[in-house]
Amino acid sequence: MIWNVTKECMSRDEIEVIQSKRLVKIVDKVYHNVPYYRNKMQQLGLEPGDIRGIEDVEKLPFTTYEDLNENYPFGLAAVPMSELVRLQASSGTTGRPKIAVYTRRDIDIWAECSARCLAMAGITKDDIIQVGYGYGLFTGGLGAHYGAEFLGALVIPMSSGNSQKLIQMMIDCGATAIACTPSYLLHVAEDLRDADLLDKIKLKVAICGAEPWTNEMRDKMEDILHLEAHDIYGLTEICGPGVATDCKYHKGLHIWEDHFLPEIIDPNTLKQVPHGETGELVITTLTKEGMPLLRYRTKDLTYLEYDKCECGRTMARIQRFKGRTDDMLIIRGVNVFPSQVEAALLTIDGTTPHYMIYVDRVNNEDTFEVHVEVEERFFSDEISELEKLTKQIHARLRERIGLNVKVKLVEPNALPHSDGKTKHVVDNRKLYV
Ligand code: DLL
């Protein structure tokens, strides 16, 4: 079902007219309300009047995570605090979260975008949907929740982390749809199969995202659960889930171009690449009030397809992600930067800055193991000292990155050292192709 035909099926000319109008407005707004943007524009010799439409977007400055960090927490807000009604966040490289703030209208538009995505996956007001993304600072739970409610579906706000309860409610309540990370759904699928409960479920659609996943994962979950799986993309800085989803033709994820202006740039030259070429996805928010962002560098590598889709939608399609330009890892849906691990280790006496992170996927669950070189003395001391240190590191990492990780202490020089750029991560999941 197409939730908003007038918007989702506009001609390219109509899309561009709306984008141009909105871009002019948003540029004017940030120039006058966000001193940081005003300075950035002034440094480039730019005034709002210089931006007359999307053809001028390349004149505008980029926004990066570093800009968010510099303006943490509310420096990029474009409205008075009294107009903000929500804050969401996800991990940042320095330990400071990436924050997004929303006005009431932002929440309504986010709900509409999320509802369009769910409708694109075939979910209607007659469905019972379990939201298995985390609720809280993470945008997944509330983003999917508001979208599903907006659509009129019956929402079961499960959150993440308790698959036995999820399975019980799925069966008892006859859930027909589920929204959660793909790895979590595969884990649930295997639990259902092992417990011989597959014939008790009524799921027909899954809407999975927040982390990269492969076609093999999609085939596997569709095969076990007999449902159709859709991919949903989003990021905290832009709003959360609901930026883009794939329709039943699965030829890329339609991005809501009336709210988000996408560009693909070469991350080295920072220039737009020709249509169809891969580069970094950059998004300008066209309607956000609380924290509008100009040319936000997502760090996600992909390309866009602009031809009309068989589903009737005209909005551009984001193609399979090829990786990220930074070293962010997504572990069980949680964003983790190696620098966070390093910062946590450095707070503990006895550790050295030499560490290695090994990531893998075992039985559809991400494993995260940190090997740390510790001072020689721990190996001559009693074994209980080593155990104590392991526990301390485990607890510190849990507190700092929110994950239970496996910690292994090794002797000095046991890990590969390099004179150049040290590699800190071995990721054996092969999620990007
Ligand atoms: O992951 C928002 C979200 C929640 C999206 C639920 C979909 C479903 P962040 O925690 O800020 O926000 O992480 C954003 O996750 O830049 C991508 O690298 C990655 N990502 C999100 N969705 C997908 C996807 C949420 N479908 C970062 N495929 C993004 C691949 C994805 N990567």
Side-chain angles (χ1 to χ4, degrees):
M1 181 184 103
I2 299 183
W3 176 255
N4 191 335
V5 181
T6 5
K7 295 283 158 49
E8 295 176 49
C9 305
M10 285 186 281
S11 69
R12 181 62 29 204
D13 282 352
E14 285 171 315
I15 295 175
E16 291 185 353
V17 167
I18 288 195
Q19 288 179 324
S20 287
K21 258 196 211 151
R22 292 182 169 173
L23 182 67
V24 168
K25 227 167 125 183
I26 213 87
V27 168
D28 188 71
K29 187 176 164 142
V30 297
Y31 187 88
H32 290 106
N33 297 311
V34 185
Y36 192 74
Y37 274 127
R38 185 162 54 248
N39 286 341
K40 270 197 161 199
M41 284 178 62
Q42 282 171 345
Q43 276 164 18
L44 294 170
L46 267 184
E47 291 196 351
D50 297 326
I51 307 298
R52 286 175 300 263
I54 53 170
E55 64 281 5
D56 293 323
V57 71
E58 273 203 281
K59 294 181 184 162
L60 290 167
F62 289 105
T63 310
T64 59
Y65 164 67
E66 288 69 33
D67 295 314
L68 301 194
N69 192 29
E70 206 173 309
N71 288 284
Y72 176 88
F74 300 122
L76 293 180
V79 295
M81 291 299 277
S82 56
E83 287 184 37
L84 296 175
V85 300
R86 175 91 68 81
L87 180 152
Q88 305 270 177
S90 70
S91 321
T93 40
T94 60
R96 271 180 174 180
K98 285 184 254 190
I99 276 185
V101 284
Y102 308 71
T103 63
R104 190 165 300 284
R105 184 164 167 270
D106 290 337
I107 297 287
D108 291 345
I109 290 180
W110 182 17
E112 145 106 23
C113 289
S114 173
R116 286 188 199 174
C117 290
L118 298 171
M120 182 151 40
I123 298 169
T124 71
K125 64 193 281 299
D126 297 324
D127 279 297
I128 301 177
I129 177 168
Q130 283 187 299
V131 176
Y133 291 117
Y135 281 67
L137 286 177
F138 178 53
T139 53
L142 288 164
H145 183 110
Y146 273 56
E149 259 187 24
F150 198 70
L151 201 68
L154 170 56
V155 189
I156 311 181
M158 296 302 311
S159 201
S160 54
N162 187 343
S163 51
Q164 287 318 305
K165 188 86 169 195
L166 181 101
I167 287 173
Q168 186 197 344
M169 302 276 288
M170 183 184 285
I171 294 171
D172 293 351
C173 305
T176 52
I178 184 160
C180 62
T181 62
S183 47
Y184 187 49
L185 187 56
L186 268 175
H187 174 74
V188 168
E190 300 209 322
D191 279 359
L192 280 162
R193 189 180 58 191
D194 295 347
D196 220 4
L197 290 171
L198 285 170
D199 60 344
K200 303 264 184 306
I201 62 165
K202 295 197 176 134
L203 286 183
K204 57 184 173 58
V205 53
I207 184 138
C208 296
E211 61 183 10
W213 49 307
T214 57
N215 283 336
E216 289 69 31
M217 287 170 74
R218 183 195 291 264
D219 292 346
K220 194 165 175 192
M221 69 174 73
E222 290 188 340
D223 214 43
I224 301 179
L225 295 170
H226 299 292
L227 48 66
E228 184 167 351
H230 289 259
D231 194 356
I232 183 165
Y233 171 76
L235 58 163
T236 314
E237 303 88 303
I238 298 302
C239 68
V243 173
T245 296
D246 57 346
C247 64
K248 65 177 179 183
Y249 294 98
H250 303 293
K251 289 187 177 160
L253 286 70
H254 291 280
I255 171 164
W256 305 127
E257 289 186 86
D258 49 338
H259 295 292
F260 314 112
L261 175 65
E263 297 171 72
I264 301 289
I265 62 155
D266 176 326
N268 298 312
T269 64
L270 303 185
K271 296 268 173 260
Q272 284 184 3
V273 299
H275 276 193
E277 272 185 29
T278 298
E280 180 178 336
L281 176 65
V282 167
I283 299 178
T284 299
T285 64
L286 294 173
T287 48
K288 271 181 80 176
E289 297 179 330
M291 203 180 93
L293 296 179
L294 299 183
R295 310 192 79 202
Y296 186 70
R297 293 187 57 187
T298 65
K299 310 273 169 125
D300 291 315
L301 290 168
T302 181
Y303 65 95
L304 296 173
E305 288 277 9
Y306 279 90
D307 54 328
K308 188 174 168 182
C309 182
E310 288 161 80
C311 71
R313 291 179 185 84
T314 47
M315 302 259 156
R317 280 164 289 140
I318 299 177
Q319 299 302 308
R320 175 161 289 290
F321 291 102
K322 299 219 160 104
R324 286 185 55 89
T325 61
D326 65 4
D327 52 2
M328 185 178 92
L329 296 160
I330 307 181
I331 310 294
R332 288 169 236 146
V334 177
N335 298 352
V336 181
F337 290 92
S339 54
Q340 287 175 285
V341 172
E342 184 168 318
L345 292 175
L346 290 174
T347 61
I348 294 174
D349 199 32
T351 60
T352 73
H354 302 296
Y355 65 97
M356 195 68 133
I357 298 168
Y358 295 93
V359 183
D360 210 337
R361 187 160 278 177
V362 180
N363 296 331
N364 303 310
E365 187 147 350
D366 293 331
T367 58
F368 190 92
E369 198 167 321
V370 183
H371 293 195
V372 196
E373 286 184 13
V374 295
E375 290 168 7
E376 191 78 55
R377 64 185 158 97
F378 286 93
F379 292 92
S380 40
D381 280 351
E382 282 176 43
I383 201 98
S384 62
E385 286 304 307
L386 265 183
E387 278 168 7
K388 223 162 93 188
L389 188 60
T390 309
K391 276 193 187 141
Q392 198 187 355
I393 295 176
H394 181 270
R396 185 64 46 88
L397 287 173
R398 194 186 155 142
E399 172 195 306
R400 292 286 181 98
I401 62 176
L403 282 178
N404 264 325
V405 310
K406 207 163 161 193
V407 176
K408 186 172 168 197
L409 305 186
V410 297
E411 292 185 46
N413 295 316
L415 296 174
H417 287 204
S418 116
D419 295 337
K421 206 167 144 63
T422 311
K423 196 175 168 209
H424 284 297
V425 181
V426 177
D427 189 343
N428 288 319
R429 295 175 300 174
K430 314 254 175 318
L431 291 176
Y432 295 112
V433 280

